[in-house]
Amino acid sequence: MTADTPSTASTASTASTASTASTASTAPVAARLSFLDRYLAVWILAAMAAGLGLGRLVPGLGDVLAQVTVTGVSLPIALGLLVMMYPVLAKVRYDRLDTVTRDRRLLIPSLALNWIVGPAVMFALAWIFLPDLPEYRTGLIIVGLARCIAMVIVWNDLACGDREAAAVLVALNSAFQVVAFSALGWFYLSVLPGWLGLEQAGLDVDAWEIARSVLIFLGIPLVAGYLTRRLGEKARGRSWYESRLIPRIGPFALYGLLFTIVVLFALQGDAITSKPVDVVRIALPLLVYFAVVWAGGMALGKAVGLDYPRTTTLAFTAAGNNFELAIAVAIATFGATSGQALAGVVGPLIEVPVLIGLVYVAMATRRFFPRPAAAADAPTAGESPARV
Protein backbone atom coordinates (compact mmCIF):
# COMPACT_ATOMS: atom_id res chain seq x y z
CA MET A 1 0.00 0.00 0.00
CA THR A 2 1.05 3.58 -0.14
CA ALA A 3 1.87 4.12 3.51
CA ASP A 4 3.60 1.18 5.22
CA THR A 5 4.61 1.17 8.86
CA PRO A 6 8.22 0.16 9.53
CA SER A 7 7.70 -0.95 13.11
CA THR A 8 5.86 -4.17 12.23
CA ALA A 9 8.66 -5.61 10.15
CA SER A 10 11.55 -4.37 12.25
CA THR A 11 10.32 -5.94 15.51
CA ALA A 12 8.54 -9.10 14.43
CA SER A 13 10.15 -12.50 14.14
CA THR A 14 9.30 -14.89 11.32
CA ALA A 15 6.80 -16.77 13.48
CA SER A 16 5.05 -13.68 14.76
CA THR A 17 4.98 -12.24 11.24
CA ALA A 18 3.12 -15.29 9.97
CA SER A 19 0.76 -15.04 12.93
CA THR A 20 0.15 -11.38 12.20
CA ALA A 21 -0.68 -12.20 8.59
CA SER A 22 -3.10 -14.92 9.63
CA THR A 23 -4.87 -12.58 12.04
CA ALA A 24 -4.88 -9.75 9.51
CA SER A 25 -6.41 -11.91 6.81
CA THR A 26 -9.51 -12.42 8.95
CA ALA A 27 -9.80 -8.82 10.15
CA PRO A 28 -11.98 -6.30 8.34
CA VAL A 29 -10.20 -4.80 5.34
CA ALA A 30 -10.58 -1.23 6.57
CA ALA A 31 -8.97 -2.09 9.92
CA ARG A 32 -5.86 -3.34 8.15
CA LEU A 33 -5.32 -0.19 6.07
CA SER A 34 -3.02 2.65 7.02
CA PHE A 35 -4.57 5.99 7.96
CA LEU A 36 -3.82 7.41 4.49
CA ASP A 37 -5.32 4.44 2.68
CA ARG A 38 -8.33 4.09 4.97
CA TYR A 39 -9.58 7.55 4.07
CA LEU A 40 -8.37 7.50 0.48
CA ALA A 41 -11.80 8.31 -0.94
CA VAL A 42 -11.94 11.41 1.29
CA TRP A 43 -8.54 12.64 0.06
CA ILE A 44 -9.54 12.01 -3.57
CA LEU A 45 -12.82 13.92 -3.22
CA ALA A 46 -11.03 16.75 -1.41
CA ALA A 47 -8.42 16.96 -4.18
CA MET A 48 -11.12 17.04 -6.85
CA ALA A 49 -13.00 19.78 -5.01
CA ALA A 50 -9.81 21.78 -4.44
CA GLY A 51 -8.90 21.57 -8.11
CA LEU A 52 -12.35 22.65 -9.25
CA GLY A 53 -12.32 25.51 -6.76
CA LEU A 54 -8.91 26.73 -7.86
CA GLY A 55 -9.88 26.51 -11.51
CA ARG A 56 -12.95 28.64 -10.92
CA LEU A 57 -11.61 31.11 -8.35
CA VAL A 58 -8.16 31.88 -9.78
CA PRO A 59 -8.50 33.60 -13.17
CA GLY A 60 -6.11 32.27 -15.81
CA LEU A 61 -4.77 29.46 -13.60
CA GLY A 62 -5.57 26.82 -16.20
CA ASP A 63 -3.74 28.77 -18.89
CA VAL A 64 -0.68 29.16 -16.67
CA LEU A 65 -0.61 25.45 -15.80
CA ALA A 66 -0.99 24.50 -19.47
CA GLN A 67 1.72 26.80 -20.83
CA VAL A 68 4.61 24.42 -20.18
CA THR A 69 3.98 20.97 -21.61
CA VAL A 70 5.71 17.61 -21.99
CA THR A 71 4.46 15.58 -24.98
CA GLY A 72 1.32 17.70 -24.95
CA VAL A 73 0.70 17.21 -21.21
CA SER A 74 1.01 19.98 -18.62
CA LEU A 75 4.40 19.89 -16.89
CA PRO A 76 2.82 19.96 -13.38
CA ILE A 77 0.75 16.89 -14.33
CA ALA A 78 3.85 15.19 -15.70
CA LEU A 79 5.75 15.85 -12.46
CA GLY A 80 2.83 14.60 -10.38
CA LEU A 81 2.68 11.38 -12.41
CA LEU A 82 6.40 10.75 -12.02
CA VAL A 83 6.25 11.31 -8.25
CA MET A 84 3.18 9.07 -8.08
CA MET A 85 4.72 6.14 -9.97
CA TYR A 86 8.27 6.15 -8.58
CA PRO A 87 7.57 4.74 -5.07
CA VAL A 88 5.44 1.90 -6.42
CA LEU A 89 8.06 0.92 -8.99
CA ALA A 90 10.73 1.10 -6.29
CA LYS A 91 8.74 -1.56 -4.39
CA VAL A 92 8.78 -4.02 -7.31
CA ARG A 93 11.01 -7.05 -6.81
CA TYR A 94 12.63 -7.16 -10.21
CA ASP A 95 14.23 -10.54 -9.51
CA ARG A 96 10.71 -12.04 -9.58
CA LEU A 97 9.69 -10.77 -13.00
CA ASP A 98 10.52 -14.08 -14.68
CA THR A 99 7.66 -15.75 -12.78
CA VAL A 100 5.28 -13.33 -14.50
CA THR A 101 6.69 -13.64 -18.02
CA ARG A 102 6.21 -17.42 -17.84
CA ASP A 103 2.57 -17.14 -16.77
CA ARG A 104 0.59 -17.53 -20.01
CA ARG A 105 -2.68 -17.59 -18.06
CA LEU A 106 -1.96 -13.94 -17.22
CA LEU A 107 -0.18 -12.64 -20.33
CA ILE A 108 -2.56 -13.94 -23.02
CA PRO A 109 -5.77 -12.70 -21.32
CA SER A 110 -4.11 -9.35 -20.64
CA LEU A 111 -3.13 -8.83 -24.27
CA ALA A 112 -6.63 -9.87 -25.41
CA LEU A 113 -8.40 -7.55 -22.95
CA ASN A 114 -6.15 -4.58 -23.65
CA TRP A 115 -5.80 -4.72 -27.41
CA ILE A 116 -8.95 -6.50 -28.62
CA VAL A 117 -11.72 -6.24 -26.02
CA GLY A 118 -10.99 -2.78 -24.55
CA PRO A 119 -10.85 -0.77 -27.81
CA ALA A 120 -13.84 -2.67 -29.23
CA VAL A 121 -15.95 -2.02 -26.11
CA MET A 122 -15.09 1.70 -26.14
CA PHE A 123 -15.87 1.94 -29.87
CA ALA A 124 -19.28 0.35 -29.34
CA LEU A 125 -20.11 2.49 -26.31
CA ALA A 126 -19.01 5.70 -28.04
CA TRP A 127 -21.38 5.03 -30.93
CA ILE A 128 -24.23 3.89 -28.67
CA PHE A 129 -24.09 6.88 -26.30
CA LEU A 130 -22.81 9.62 -28.63
CA PRO A 131 -24.19 8.95 -32.13
CA ASP A 132 -24.92 12.67 -32.63
CA LEU A 133 -21.66 14.06 -31.18
CA PRO A 134 -18.82 13.02 -33.50
CA GLU A 135 -16.09 15.05 -31.77
CA TYR A 136 -16.75 13.56 -28.33
CA ARG A 137 -17.20 10.13 -29.90
CA THR A 138 -13.80 10.32 -31.58
CA GLY A 139 -12.22 11.51 -28.35
CA LEU A 140 -13.60 8.54 -26.45
CA ILE A 141 -12.37 6.10 -29.07
CA ILE A 142 -8.88 7.61 -28.73
CA VAL A 143 -9.10 7.15 -24.95
CA GLY A 144 -10.03 3.50 -25.50
CA LEU A 145 -6.98 2.95 -27.71
CA ALA A 146 -4.54 4.39 -25.16
CA ARG A 147 -3.84 1.55 -22.76
CA CYS A 148 -2.77 2.46 -19.27
CA ILE A 149 0.90 2.76 -18.33
CA ALA A 150 0.77 5.16 -15.36
CA MET A 151 -2.02 5.44 -12.79
CA VAL A 152 -2.90 1.75 -13.08
CA ILE A 153 0.26 0.98 -11.12
CA VAL A 154 -1.14 2.90 -8.16
CA TRP A 155 -4.66 1.41 -8.42
CA ASN A 156 -3.11 -2.07 -8.57
CA ASP A 157 -0.96 -1.41 -5.52
CA LEU A 158 -3.86 0.00 -3.51
CA ALA A 159 -5.94 -3.09 -4.32
CA CYS A 160 -3.09 -5.39 -3.21
CA GLY A 161 -2.42 -6.62 -6.72
CA ASP A 162 0.79 -8.26 -7.91
CA ARG A 163 3.40 -5.52 -8.31
CA GLU A 164 5.72 -7.60 -10.46
CA ALA A 165 2.86 -8.62 -12.74
CA ALA A 166 1.77 -4.99 -13.04
CA ALA A 167 5.30 -3.96 -14.06
CA VAL A 168 5.43 -6.62 -16.78
CA LEU A 169 1.94 -5.93 -18.14
CA VAL A 170 2.55 -2.19 -18.21
CA ALA A 171 5.80 -2.77 -20.11
CA LEU A 172 3.94 -4.97 -22.61
CA ASN A 173 1.25 -2.33 -23.05
CA SER A 174 3.95 0.26 -23.66
CA ALA A 175 5.60 -1.79 -26.39
CA PHE A 176 2.27 -2.53 -28.07
CA GLN A 177 1.28 1.12 -27.80
CA VAL A 178 4.28 2.29 -29.80
CA VAL A 179 3.66 -0.32 -32.50
CA ALA A 180 -0.13 -0.56 -32.65
CA PHE A 181 -1.70 2.76 -31.58
CA SER A 182 -1.65 4.45 -34.98
CA ALA A 183 -2.83 1.34 -36.81
CA LEU A 184 -5.70 0.80 -34.38
CA GLY A 185 -6.65 4.47 -34.63
CA TRP A 186 -6.87 4.14 -38.40
CA PHE A 187 -8.92 0.94 -38.08
CA TYR A 188 -11.44 2.16 -35.49
CA LEU A 189 -11.87 5.68 -36.87
CA SER A 190 -11.74 5.03 -40.61
CA VAL A 191 -11.91 1.37 -41.65
CA LEU A 192 -14.46 -0.16 -39.24
CA PRO A 193 -16.97 2.74 -39.50
CA GLY A 194 -16.73 2.42 -43.29
CA TRP A 195 -17.51 -1.29 -43.13
CA LEU A 196 -20.49 -0.59 -40.88
CA GLY A 197 -21.76 2.34 -42.95
CA LEU A 198 -21.01 4.84 -40.17
CA GLU A 199 -19.42 8.29 -40.25
CA GLN A 200 -15.66 8.10 -40.66
CA ALA A 201 -12.91 10.14 -39.00
CA GLY A 202 -9.15 10.28 -39.33
CA LEU A 203 -6.17 10.11 -36.98
CA ASP A 204 -2.63 11.01 -37.99
CA VAL A 205 -0.24 10.19 -35.15
CA ASP A 206 3.55 10.11 -35.21
CA ALA A 207 4.90 6.90 -33.68
CA TRP A 208 7.75 8.91 -32.13
CA GLU A 209 5.23 11.01 -30.18
CA ILE A 210 3.82 7.82 -28.67
CA ALA A 211 7.28 6.41 -27.95
CA ARG A 212 8.31 9.67 -26.27
CA SER A 213 5.22 9.59 -24.05
CA VAL A 214 6.05 6.01 -23.02
CA LEU A 215 9.69 6.84 -22.34
CA ILE A 216 8.78 9.80 -20.13
CA PHE A 217 5.82 8.49 -18.16
CA LEU A 218 7.00 4.90 -17.77
CA GLY A 219 10.70 4.88 -18.58
CA ILE A 220 11.84 7.53 -16.10
CA PRO A 221 10.09 6.16 -12.97
CA LEU A 222 10.84 2.56 -14.00
CA VAL A 223 14.58 3.20 -14.29
CA ALA A 224 14.56 5.26 -11.08
CA GLY A 225 12.67 2.55 -9.19
CA TYR A 226 14.93 -0.22 -10.47
CA LEU A 227 18.12 1.67 -9.60
CA THR A 228 16.80 2.59 -6.16
CA ARG A 229 16.16 -1.06 -5.31
CA ARG A 230 19.35 -2.33 -6.92
CA LEU A 231 21.63 0.21 -5.25
CA GLY A 232 19.73 0.26 -1.95
CA GLU A 233 19.84 -3.51 -1.53
CA LYS A 234 23.49 -3.61 -2.58
CA ALA A 235 24.47 -0.96 -0.06
CA ARG A 236 22.32 -1.89 2.97
CA GLY A 237 20.60 -5.19 2.20
CA ARG A 238 17.00 -6.17 1.40
CA SER A 239 15.84 -6.11 5.01
CA TRP A 240 16.88 -2.47 5.48
CA TYR A 241 15.52 -1.52 2.05
CA GLU A 242 12.06 -2.94 2.67
CA SER A 243 11.73 -2.15 6.39
CA ARG A 244 13.25 1.35 6.40
CA LEU A 245 13.46 2.94 2.96
CA ILE A 246 10.21 1.75 1.37
CA PRO A 247 8.00 2.98 4.24
CA ARG A 248 9.58 6.43 3.92
CA ILE A 249 9.07 6.87 0.19
CA GLY A 250 5.80 4.91 -0.06
CA PRO A 251 3.41 7.75 0.92
CA PHE A 252 4.73 9.91 -1.92
CA ALA A 253 2.73 7.79 -4.37
CA LEU A 254 -0.46 9.09 -2.78
CA TYR A 255 0.89 12.64 -2.54
CA GLY A 256 1.73 12.56 -6.25
CA LEU A 257 -1.72 11.17 -7.08
CA LEU A 258 -3.51 13.89 -5.10
CA PHE A 259 -1.35 16.63 -6.61
CA THR A 260 -2.07 15.31 -10.11
CA ILE A 261 -5.81 15.28 -9.43
CA VAL A 262 -5.76 18.86 -8.13
CA VAL A 263 -3.91 20.05 -11.24
CA LEU A 264 -6.16 18.08 -13.60
CA PHE A 265 -9.32 19.56 -12.14
CA ALA A 266 -7.80 23.04 -11.93
CA LEU A 267 -6.87 22.89 -15.62
CA GLN A 268 -10.36 21.92 -16.71
CA GLY A 269 -12.48 23.34 -13.90
CA ASP A 270 -14.02 26.02 -16.09
CA ALA A 271 -14.78 23.65 -18.98
CA ILE A 272 -16.30 21.07 -16.65
CA THR A 273 -18.57 23.51 -14.83
CA SER A 274 -19.57 25.45 -17.97
CA LYS A 275 -20.55 22.34 -19.98
CA PRO A 276 -22.15 20.04 -17.40
CA VAL A 277 -24.49 18.33 -19.87
CA ASP A 278 -21.63 17.53 -22.26
CA VAL A 279 -19.53 16.21 -19.39
CA VAL A 280 -22.38 13.95 -18.25
CA ARG A 281 -22.89 12.58 -21.77
CA ILE A 282 -19.16 11.82 -22.07
CA ALA A 283 -19.10 10.34 -18.57
CA LEU A 284 -21.89 7.79 -19.11
CA PRO A 285 -20.08 5.57 -21.65
CA LEU A 286 -16.91 5.88 -19.59
CA LEU A 287 -18.69 4.63 -16.48
CA VAL A 288 -20.04 1.65 -18.39
CA TYR A 289 -16.65 0.99 -19.96
CA PHE A 290 -14.71 0.91 -16.68
CA ALA A 291 -17.30 -1.29 -14.99
CA VAL A 292 -17.63 -3.78 -17.87
CA VAL A 293 -13.92 -4.15 -18.66
CA TRP A 294 -12.87 -4.33 -15.01
CA ALA A 295 -15.54 -6.89 -14.15
CA GLY A 296 -14.64 -8.87 -17.26
CA GLY A 297 -11.00 -8.91 -16.20
CA MET A 298 -11.88 -10.14 -12.70
CA ALA A 299 -14.18 -12.83 -14.08
CA LEU A 300 -11.64 -13.97 -16.66
CA GLY A 301 -8.84 -14.13 -14.12
CA LYS A 302 -10.98 -16.22 -11.79
CA ALA A 303 -12.04 -18.48 -14.67
CA VAL A 304 -8.48 -19.26 -15.80
CA GLY A 305 -7.37 -19.99 -12.23
CA LEU A 306 -5.32 -16.93 -11.35
CA ASP A 307 -4.93 -15.99 -7.69
CA TYR A 308 -6.34 -12.77 -6.27
CA PRO A 309 -3.24 -10.56 -6.75
CA ARG A 310 -2.81 -11.45 -10.43
CA THR A 311 -6.54 -11.38 -11.14
CA THR A 312 -6.68 -7.88 -9.69
CA THR A 313 -3.70 -6.82 -11.77
CA LEU A 314 -5.32 -8.25 -14.90
CA ALA A 315 -8.55 -6.33 -14.22
CA PHE A 316 -6.98 -2.95 -13.45
CA THR A 317 -4.46 -3.01 -16.29
CA ALA A 318 -7.35 -3.77 -18.66
CA ALA A 319 -9.72 -1.10 -17.32
CA GLY A 320 -7.27 1.80 -16.97
CA ASN A 321 -6.31 4.10 -19.81
CA ASN A 322 -3.28 6.20 -20.71
CA PHE A 323 -4.95 9.59 -20.49
CA GLU A 324 -1.62 11.39 -20.93
CA LEU A 325 -1.29 9.93 -24.42
CA ALA A 326 -4.98 10.34 -25.26
CA ILE A 327 -4.98 14.03 -24.32
CA ALA A 328 -1.71 14.67 -26.15
CA VAL A 329 -2.96 12.97 -29.33
CA ALA A 330 -6.33 14.77 -29.20
CA ILE A 331 -4.70 18.18 -28.73
CA ALA A 332 -2.04 17.60 -31.38
CA THR A 333 -4.55 16.31 -33.95
CA PHE A 334 -7.69 18.34 -33.28
CA GLY A 335 -6.62 21.30 -31.12
CA ALA A 336 -6.70 22.19 -27.41
CA THR A 337 -10.26 23.55 -27.55
CA SER A 338 -11.72 20.67 -29.57
CA GLY A 339 -14.42 18.29 -28.42
CA GLN A 340 -11.95 15.44 -28.81
CA ALA A 341 -9.63 17.12 -26.30
CA LEU A 342 -12.50 17.67 -23.84
CA ALA A 343 -13.44 13.99 -24.08
CA GLY A 344 -9.83 13.07 -23.38
CA VAL A 345 -9.78 15.30 -20.30
CA VAL A 346 -13.08 13.95 -18.96
CA GLY A 347 -11.57 10.44 -19.21
CA PRO A 348 -9.26 10.66 -16.17
CA LEU A 349 -11.74 12.81 -14.25
CA ILE A 350 -14.17 9.88 -14.40
CA GLU A 351 -11.50 7.18 -14.18
CA VAL A 352 -10.03 8.43 -10.91
CA PRO A 353 -13.13 8.15 -8.68
CA VAL A 354 -14.48 5.07 -10.46
CA LEU A 355 -11.27 3.04 -10.19
CA ILE A 356 -10.79 4.17 -6.60
CA GLY A 357 -14.24 2.72 -5.93
CA LEU A 358 -13.25 -0.47 -7.74
CA VAL A 359 -10.21 -0.76 -5.45
CA TYR A 360 -12.61 -1.26 -2.55
CA VAL A 361 -14.76 -3.64 -4.60
CA ALA A 362 -11.68 -5.67 -5.51
CA MET A 363 -10.58 -6.01 -1.90
CA ALA A 364 -14.09 -7.14 -0.94
CA THR A 365 -13.81 -10.00 -3.46
CA ARG A 366 -10.72 -11.49 -1.84
CA ARG A 367 -12.84 -14.01 0.06
CA PHE A 368 -13.79 -15.63 -3.26
CA PHE A 369 -10.17 -16.57 -3.96
CA PRO A 370 -8.20 -19.34 -2.21
CA ARG A 371 -6.12 -18.17 0.71
CA PRO A 372 -2.35 -18.55 0.19
CA ALA A 373 -0.28 -20.79 2.43
CA ALA A 374 0.85 -19.26 5.72
CA ALA A 375 4.41 -18.78 4.54
CA ALA A 376 3.36 -17.05 1.37
CA ASP A 377 0.75 -15.02 3.24
CA ALA A 378 3.21 -13.48 5.66
CA PRO A 379 3.89 -9.79 5.17
CA THR A 380 7.17 -8.80 3.61
CA ALA A 381 9.45 -6.82 5.87
CA GLY A 382 8.37 -3.24 5.84
CA GLU A 383 4.82 -3.86 4.61
CA SER A 384 1.56 -3.62 6.48
CA PRO A 385 -0.44 -6.87 6.70
CA ALA A 386 -3.07 -5.39 4.40
CA ARG A 387 -0.63 -5.43 1.49
CA VAL A 388 -0.21 -9.23 1.26
Side-chain angles (χ1 to χ4, degrees), residues 1-35:
M1 302 292 288
T2 51
D4 300 327
T5 53
S7 59
T8 301
S10 58
T11 59
S13 64
T14 303
S16 62
T17 298
S19 175
T20 300
S22 176
T23 302
S25 63
T26 60
V29 170
R32 290 183 274 130
L33 299 178
S34 69
F35 176 78

Side-chain angles (χ1 to χ4, degrees), residues 2-197:
T2 51
D4 300 327
T5 53
S7 59
T8 301
S10 58
T11 59
S13 64
T14 303
S16 62
T17 298
S19 175
T20 300
S22 176
T23 302
S25 63
T26 60
V29 170
R32 290 183 274 130
L33 299 178
S34 69
F35 176 78
L36 286 175
D37 294 327
R38 190 178 305 169
Y39 297 101
L40 182 63
V42 176
W43 314 140
I44 294 289
L45 291 173
M48 292 164 64
L52 281 175
L54 287 172
R56 293 289 292 178
L57 297 175
V58 181
L61 177 62
D63 294 334
V64 172
L65 292 174
Q67 282 180 353
V68 183
T69 63
V70 177
T71 66
V73 179
S74 166
L75 181 59
I77 292 179
L79 292 175
L81 289 170
L82 295 178
V83 171
M84 176 186 73
M85 293 173 64
Y86 163 69
V88 181
L89 289 170
K91 294 178 184 179
V92 171
R93 292 185 177 175
Y94 294 92
D95 55 346
R96 292 182 177 177
L97 295 184
D98 60 330
T99 64
V100 179
T101 58
R102 294 196 301 265
D103 191 349
R104 293 185 178 181
R105 293 180 304 168
L106 175 65
L107 296 182
I108 294 175
S110 177
L111 290 174
L113 286 171
N114 272 285
W115 298 103
I116 299 175
V117 176
V121 169
M122 188 68 89
F123 174 85
L125 292 173
W127 274 99
I128 291 170
F129 283 89
L130 303 170
D132 58 329
L133 297 172
E135 289 190 359
Y136 297 157
R137 185 176 63 236
T138 298
L140 280 184
I141 293 172
I142 293 173
V143 170
L145 297 177
R147 311 315 299 167
C148 198
I149 65 169
M151 280 192 174
V152 69
I153 294 176
V154 177
W155 309 144
N156 177 76
D157 206 53
L158 290 172
C160 304
D162 188 314
R163 288 179 185 143
E164 290 69 39
V168 170
L169 296 184
V170 163
L172 277 177
N173 279 345
S174 301
F176 269 78
Q177 214 156 92
V178 174
V179 175
F181 185 91
S182 296
L184 287 174
W186 169 72
F187 176 76
Y188 279 104
L189 293 174
S190 297
V191 177
L192 185 56
W195 290 350
L196 300 175

Side-chain angles (χ1 to χ4, degrees), residues 183-271:
L184 287 174
W186 169 72
F187 176 76
Y188 279 104
L189 293 174
S190 297
V191 177
L192 185 56
W195 290 350
L196 300 175
L198 302 172
E199 181 181 347
Q200 294 174 282
L203 185 65
D204 183 16
V205 184
D206 184 356
W208 167 239
E209 293 294 326
I210 302 172
R212 186 168 61 180
S213 174
V214 169
L215 289 172
I216 291 174
F217 294 113
L218 176 62
I220 292 176
L222 182 61
V223 171
Y226 172 78
L227 290 178
T228 299
R229 176 171 282 276
R230 181 72 180 271
L231 297 177
E233 288 188 355
K234 185 177 181 180
R236 304 290 295 272
R238 174 165 291 184
S239 177
W240 171 87
Y241 182 86
E242 296 189 344
S243 65
R244 299 296 181 88
L245 183 61
I246 288 298
R248 291 178 182 176
I249 66 176
F252 283 93
L254 178 56
Y255 303 152
L257 172 63
L258 296 177
F259 175 78
T260 303
I261 292 171
V262 171
V263 176
L264 269 172
F265 277 76
L267 272 167
Q268 298 296 328
D270 187 61

